[in-house]
Every structure is written in structure tokens, then in C-alpha cells.
Amino acid sequence: MKKHREIKLQSRRNFLVKLALLSASALAPPVFTGCKKNEIAGLNGKPPFNVWQDMINTLSTSPDNFPARRKSLINKKDIQSMHSFVQKDIALLPSDYRYFRYPARNTRYGEKAAIRCGMATPREKAEILNNMLKESGFESKVVYERVKLSEEEVLNILFRNHQPKFAPEITDDQIENWLEILGADKENGQWDNLASVLEQNEDFTEKILALLDEEEKNNGQELRYTFNNNIPAVVVGVEGKELFLHIFDPSVKYGEYHPTNTDKYYSEAGELFSSDENISIRLTYTNSIDGSKEYDLLNGEWKSSELVGNQVNLMFLKNMGFEKMATSSVNQISSFTPSLTLQDLYEDKKFMEKRSFIGDPITLEGEKLIEENNKKLEISENKKSNESLINKVSSLEVKAIPGTYPKVQLQVFPKDSNGNVIEGLQPGDFNISDNKKEMMAFMKQNKVAPKILVIYDTSLSMPKKYRDEGIKTFVEDTQQAIKDVYPLAKVTLQKTGSTIYTSHYKAALSENDLIIYATDGHNNDKFDPSLQPVYKSGPPTIYLNVYESSNDHFEELATRTHASVIPANDQQETIKKIKEELKNIKVPPYLFTYHSTDPDKEHVAEVSIRKDLKAQDKFKFLPIANELPGKRMVGLYMYLSIGNQKPVRRVLAGWDTEVEFGEIPVKKYANKVHEMLMGNLTLAFEREAPPLSVRLTDYLKALMSNKNWYEKYQDNELETAIEELEKGTFSYPSALLTMMQPLKDSINAESITWPLGFRIGCFKVKPAIYNVKSLITFDYLPTSDYRTLTKSRKNSFTTNLKKTSQLALLENHMFETSTFSLLENKNLEINNKIESKEKFSGENLGNDYYYWKEYVLRGGPSFKVYAADTSSKAYWEIDKRYGGMYGILPDQTGGGGTGPLLQLKELQNLVDEYSKLAGVMNIGMAVAGVGSVPVGIVASYSLTLMKLYAIATEAVILMDSSNLNDQVKKAMAELACNIYKEIHYGSLGHVGAGMSGIENLIAAMGGNYSFTKC
């Protein structure tokens, strides 16, 4: 991801150039060139999947693979080995921040998460052993044993060196065999030992600590020690006798009580205190019309036990099946369906479906495509055409209205021989093209249902009858009067300030049929003559002169904006005039929207119902509309909540409403949101992260999810391959292998450092459309709440800071941009010891003033360390009480980012463009957002597509059959090529004894090569 990989990226680019020049012969089923043998004894399947399965089996033999060892021991039914595994190999965690105040009942991670990371509280250890015994068929229970231990004895038990070894039972011959079967190269992939970087960590942390005084570092504070001597243990029945299993003290032998329990007495265990919290994710957006008001897109909620060790994929599905993607261009994506999908590599599809969430399909404006109880759109139950109704159509008119590029609205008027409008035609009855290219168009209405927007100035200078309850009454009376003529008419209300030209401009780009603007004429903005084409092409507008003041002023407003004026002192008379004006407006019975291309060219929109009945209209996108979008989503936000804690907020794209005020660059932010909708995000949840063998197993399990469709593709069974592909796959960004690893030396003879909360990593892919550089970023959410206890009961703050700073080194190693890189050569300052406040004035900071005020200078539970000259907005955030440290980038994410100079080209094939992105950025197609749907969302997404197809023109459903087969073959070949990723793994220290072959292992998993003939 960093620049030292540039040579490998270049070779990948060369490979993609060849891919783009595929000939028909290259679309044949993939072969494994250079392979002398393809089989592995005892395993079914073809390469690479048989090799990957063999790797999974081999990784299960590694000492640090605690879940695999648990399963193996249960199968062996060996009680003594199970006891030894839990007592000696699972690291002991404190039950709380007072060491062992509640050892009998406190749990920290839950059994699944504790086994995954190999760390557990005393009660969790007992529960792990108890459940292992029960699964082996024994009768067992958790009990309490009362012991007598001094503080020194307890601390000696707790503080022990614990570094699980990565040492799978693997030979060089086995790795050579894998490489040979795959035709792979030993140079593929990369493993970096970061031990040398860790040594440099001392200088880095000392520089930070030098900014704090002794009192702030709490170095003189002694941690409180408590030991409740009621310790969990397990009793198991063996051949009619009870066998006692002590767990707390590893010196106690199998089957014996603790020596201080001379009475050999135990008591029944009480109910454990569960730490299974609710975790929720909320996705919202702002638009360019309604200020900072946020609208909900999607909400999801889980139990923490359902998320730990798993991932949640936030995807904006493109509302196309794979075949449609294979035959569509980037610009044809006009709608998105947000989804939050749980990915659990070890559970079944039903489990994930119950815990996955899908939102409503939306447009770039944030508007829902499928409206519940939509009275202006009537879809037949069988979604079939009414031939008799179609045959009544004798004439067809169409009016094309270009909106904010790339959006186009089509008003369609089918009439019978008497000139009467025919309502009730179905979406599939129409075919729509733009410059002879079939468009994906969605029907918004198929009945005459005018939409009226009432804008009103909220200034106190407005009369009461047009403010507060007065304006609401006016709208209700207006709607009732209009419904006498148009029963399906809808009137909506919108607030505005004294900015007449700007407010009118935004409304002119809306889908309304009539705009009513109530104003006293007071205006604070200036007229821009270049906007006149927008006013002219927009809906008819009526200014309500609420005081019936100077007509000259209102006439000037009306002339400039192509509007009309109605004296509006008498509201009932005003409503009558509005009703009369509406009768003169040509209200369309049908409204379609689609996305077009080429903003500078003239377009011909064509609508046809039958082969012999077509209508056309020419249009050009307004140049100004390409600069200042009307209604568009301009901010996309994620809120993650854990229990009753304050939600963690992330600006996924666009406008940060907390620090950016006044006029915002609407086009810039609308484009950023659009790019984010083309990408996706993976949230990885852990307590403490698992050891290497577990992470590698997860990665391989995700790759194995491609087996069914890929092997059918190898056999040239294209249709079956697509069917299998659309059943869903997993995706696991290889960056998680490095970024979600446990802290080095977290448990040793002097200290224990563990996350009280959740380690949550956020991997985001944002393709470039308007920018020149696509981005991948990684963000550590501030939810881990690392704590450190020391044997000396002192220096916990500094120890915690030093250990958690390892995450900063990971960020800097993996990404070109990180907090470490931005602040590495800067003089640093801390926010509670500001030398000169003058540099933080609005005059000096300009637009960044509120950023520094809200995010850096404001007090709170954290110290902020930043560049003293304010040349960078990155900073270090340090917990004042416990010393945990995060690096915060200027966009408020805690991680790093990088990306190639690569754009998605709007006119090019969708899969082609994502293939280039996936290849150069070393991410799989599923991670990039194209190729396959996550397993947990397949069923509900299929229902969403069915609803969308019901309101879509034929072009959404039908494809060009003349070249479909070749296009789909080519798309599948590209998808196959990008299953494999170049893995770059950085380890915080030595990974294990005898593993010089780890580079070869990573090489065989995936790298800068392809198994397909492409």
C-alpha cells in the first residue's frame, strides 16, 4: 500500500493492460499453466481451492490457533489435555480494573471471543472448560473454590510472559508442493517483520510523553488492588466420581484442589455477569437543500457476541445482477441500495440473513425510488402489459428536462385518438434511449398527480398568516382546493431564509410541477444572470407578494427568474388564483428519470411504446447546472453506538456539518458522496485481535467462498457459474491481516494491556470518478478503551501509551498517509499547554478555525498533541486517565490512507473499470463492490431488485443478446483474476519459531499473478 510496493503495482498494471486486450480465445476456461500435478491426497476440488483447504487444515495445527485446538481436544475427549489447554495456554485476564475484585462472576469478552484471542477472565476460563467437557459428552458444572493467596502470589500468577507461537506443522516440501500446483512464484506476497520499527517506538513515545508532566502521567498514582478469593473452577463426572479441576493457578496439578483449600470444599457457582452489549450502526445523509438536517438511510443492530470475530459490510448495491453489470457502463448506475451485511465465516446463511439489513433504493438526491403507498404510481400485480390499453395510444409526446448532471427527467404524454391522456401504462411498456443508447429509466408516476412546492421565508418580517401555523393552514387549504381538480395532487412545504435567488434556483432543479414562493421581497443575495437558463427551464414559479408591496420590485424579481407574481394579502383569493394558474400548466401523466452522459453534447431523448410509435425531444445539460448541483446528497455519515456510550461519528464523504458553516462547496461534496456510493466499507470487530493462524484461516475461508462458481466457470458452465455467484460470497480485505493483529507483548511478566471495549477497524474503498486518485483507507474507531495493569501497580499510564502506540506504527507501515507520517518531523504541542493562542484565531486559521476549536482545542477526556505551527490538522489523541493513544487524521479518521492515480471512466464497462481498480489497489472484486453480493443479503436484495424491475423500463431487464455471452464471459474472467490479491503482511515482531517459510505461505495464498488464462 505504501510506495515501496510501486514495482509490484507496476507489474500488476502491465497485467491489466493485457487483460484489457483480451481476444476471444482468452475467454476460454482458465487453466493452471506450469502445473505438474493438481491433486492433494484426501482433498476434493481443483486448484487453487484444494491448496487453500490444505492450508486451512495445516493452520489448525498451530499452537496459536485456539479455536482449532479447542475443537480437536473436544473430539479427542481427553479431559486432562482440555484442562491443561485452558489452565496454561489461555492467558489470564484481570476480572476488572482492580485486578480481581469480581473474579467469580465477571466476564469480559464472552467465551467465543476469549477463545479467538486466547485471553480470558477466571470465570470465562471456567465457562470455556465446562462447555468443552459438555460438548465431549461429560457432565460438568462451574463451581467456586475459596483459596488463600497473598498479593504477591496473585500478581505472580497474573503477570506471565504470553506470546502464542505461530508454528503450524508444515514442511518445506509441503509449501513447494503448493507452489507447484498453483504455478505460483516464491516472490509473490510480502512479509515484513516490524520488530525494528518497534525498537524505534521508544523515541517516538518519549517525544510524546515529554509534553506531559508527572502528575498528568499519573506515574505517582498507585493502582488499587483487590482480590476476592472466591475463584471459579470446574467439577466433572468421570466413571461415577467427581473430578475437581482448578484453573486459576497453573501450578495446581490436574485433578487437585488448591493447596490452601485444605477442606477440599467447593460451592455452587452463581450466575455470571454477561458483557454482551447492543451495538448499532446508523447511516444518514444531508442534502444541499435542507441545510444540516440529517435523514436516515439505514439502521442495523446486533448483540456484541454476534459481531466479535466477524465483519459488517456497508455496501451501496448497484441494483443490477451480474449479467447486467457485465453489459453496463459506469455512468448507467443511477440508483443505490444501502445494506449492512453481517459476515460470519463459521455460521450458515440463515444466521447471517437474520442479522443483515437492507435499505430503500435511493437516487443521488437521496430520494427513495420505491415509495410505499404511492398513489400516483399503479403497478399491476402480475407486472404485465395491458395490450388493449397500449393499442389505444395513437400519439405520443415527450419533454426532456435536464436536471443536475447526470440526471434527466422525461415527461411523457400518451394520448388516444381524441387527445385524451391515457393513464395506467406499465413501466415495461416503454423503451427509452438517449442518443440511441438504451437507458435504465425508472417510472416515478403513471397518473396525473401534480406536485406543488410551497417555499416560505421564515424571517420575522413575514406576516403571521405566512409564518408558523399560518403557513401550515395556507398549505392545507391550498392542497384541498387543488384536489378538487387533481385528486392526487401533493403540496409540500419548505423553509428558507431571505435568499430569493438561491432558493428559487435550487427549486428550479426539482421535479415539481409548480413552485409557490411566499416572500415579503426582502432579499440578501445577488442575482446571477448566468442562472437564467435554469430558472427558465424549471417548473413554473409564482411569487406571493404577501404584503402587496411595490410591484416594481416584485416585477424585477419575476422578470429575472421567469416567474409570475400574485398579490397575496387575501389568502383565499390567492388560493383561487393558484388554482387557475395550475389549470394552465401541462401536468404530465408519466414521469421517468435516468442518468445520461456527455454534459457538453446535444442529446436526443426518445421514448417508444410500440415499434411504430415514438417521440423525441432534444436537450443539452445547462452549463451552470454542471457547476452548482440542485438537490443532491452532500454529506454521508455513519454513527456506531455501543450500549449507552456516546455514538462514534464518521463523515464517510462530503460535508462535515460540525465544523463547516455558511456556504459550502455543493458540487465538490456532492461528487465526494457519489464516489463513496460507488465504493464500500468493511467493519471488522474484535475484542483483542486473534493470533496470526486464526486471521490467516479467516482470510482463506473467505477465498474458499468462491469455490462453487469458480469451478463451474473452469468447466465452462457459464450459466451455472452465474447462478452460483449470485448465491453470494465473502470478502476479507487482506489489510485486516496486518491491521487487526494483537499488540506485541501485551501480556508479560510486568504488565497486562487489554481492550476493555471493542477493537473495530474500518476498511473503506472509494473509487475516483471526479478526482484523479482512488482511495483506500483504514480507520481504527476509538472504541477499544485499552487498559493496562502493572505488577508494580505504578506507571500504568505510560505503559498503556507505549503499547497502544504500536497501532500508529502499523498505520505508518501500511499506508502512505498516516498521523505518524504527517507529524513525524514536526515540533509538537499539547492542547493544555498552548504557548500562543493568537495563532488559533479566525484571522490566522480562516476556514479551519472551527476545526481546531471543536476537534483539537476543546477540553474533554483526552489530551491532543499536534503540530505547533498548525501546518497539519492531524493530531494524537491520548486518554487522560488511562493513556490509550489514537492517531487522528484531518478527516477525523483514526488510521491511514493511500491510493493509485486511477479513475472509473464513466463511459467504460462497469466490470472492466472495477477490475482495474481491484487489481491496482490489491483488493478483491467483492471488496470493491462489484462481482458478488454478500451472502447474508442475497435473499432480501433479490426482493428489492424485483420491486425495482417492476418500476423500470425494458432496458433495465433486457440486454443486448448479440454480444451478451462474450461480455459475460469476459466479466467473469476479470472477476476470477481479481479473487487473488497481493498480500502484504507486516508483523509486530517475530511470528513464531521455525517459520522462515511464512513468505512462501503468503505467496501461495495470493499474489501478483493470476491462475486464469487472461
Side-chain angles (χ1 to χ4, degrees), residues 30 117 664:
C117 66
I664 62 168

Side-chain angles (χ1 to χ4, degrees), residues 457-476:
D457 191 337
T458 57
S459 304
L460 293 177
S461 58
M462 290 284 286
K464 267 192 172 184
K465 66 179 74 175
Y466 286 103
R467 281 193 290 118
D468 303 326
E469 293 302 316
I471 190 67
K472 292 178 183 177
T473 301
F474 173 71
V475 167
E476 290 172 3

